[in-house]
Amino acid sequence: MATITFKGTEVHTAGDLPAVGSPAPDFKLTAGNLADKTLADYAGKRIILNIFPSIDTGTCAASVRAFNEKAAGLNDTVVLCVSRDLPFAQGRFCAAEGISNVETLSEYKDSNFSDAYRLRIVDGPLAGLLSRAVVVIGEDGTVKYTEQVTEIANEPDYDQALAAL
């Protein structure tokens, strides 16, 4: 269980992120067209998982914008922005913002992803949502970098995530 804060108040996640060097856990998430997406769909690519509570908050939206900008010049790399928001809300946000260099995926159907990556918030006002985290997966399917952002209201360290590529 990781201890993080939400506006300074302690909250907890279901566990710790996968260890660097370990195989990335498989997942099943829902794309904007309602199709299931799994880790195998991105085989051979470098993956940045940008994980957050809701695209409808300022910090979460800022992280999607920032990774969209930074992903534009990355070869063989996909940025997956993951939340429990409905795919329709994710799509509406990206369309309104002109975001096209990241892919949004939703965990609204089941908790396969948050169970595998152990990042569901288990207490406090955001219980049930995903914590803010970044996981970088290499083209070989191993975890190269993780960051469990310690304060949910803060943005992740984009430079460290990109450096792990």
Side-chain angles (χ1 to χ4, degrees):
M1 177 178 301
T3 300
I4 56 177
T5 58
F6 174 59
K7 297 183 179 180
T9 301
E10 264 191 20
V11 295
H12 303 91
T13 67
D16 295 316
L17 294 171
V20 171
S22 68
D26 196 9
F27 57 78
K28 184 172 81 174
L29 293 163
T30 305
N33 64 359
L34 303 181
D36 289 339
K37 290 289 197 163
T38 67
L39 185 60
D41 292 316
Y42 306 98
K45 293 194 177 278
R46 302 180 305 173
I47 303 167
I48 299 173
L49 296 173
N50 174 34
I51 306 152
F52 48 87
S54 175
I55 202 146
D56 287 325
T57 67
T59 305
C60 300
S63 74
V64 173
R65 286 186 204 104
F67 273 120
N68 180 65
E69 181 182 315
K70 294 172 186 305
L74 300 176
N75 294 322
D76 297 319
T77 303
V78 61
V79 177
L80 305 178
C81 295
V82 181
S83 70
R84 296 204 83 190
D85 294 297
L86 290 174
F88 315 114
Q90 294 171 333
R92 185 175 52 249
F93 172 82
C94 290
E97 296 281 330
I99 290 174
S100 60
N101 297 317
V102 302
E103 185 176 338
T104 55
L105 296 173
S106 174
E107 191 194 50
Y108 85 99
K109 286 184 183 178
D110 60 45
S111 60
N112 168 277
F113 178 79
S114 59
D115 289 345
Y117 286 79
R118 300 180 304 270
L119 42 66
R120 186 176 327 110
I121 299 168
V122 297
D123 54 13
L126 299 181
L129 296 178
L130 306 181
S131 65
R132 185 174 319 287
V134 175
V135 177
V136 176
I137 303 168
E139 54 274 302
D140 63 354
T142 62
V143 175
K144 303 296 183 191
Y145 170 83
T146 64
E147 177 189 8
Q148 173 64 73
V149 179
T150 57
E151 167 54 56
I152 294 172
N154 293 342
E155 292 181 55
D157 188 334
Y158 306 109
D159 294 333
Q160 287 284 71
L162 294 171
L165 294 172

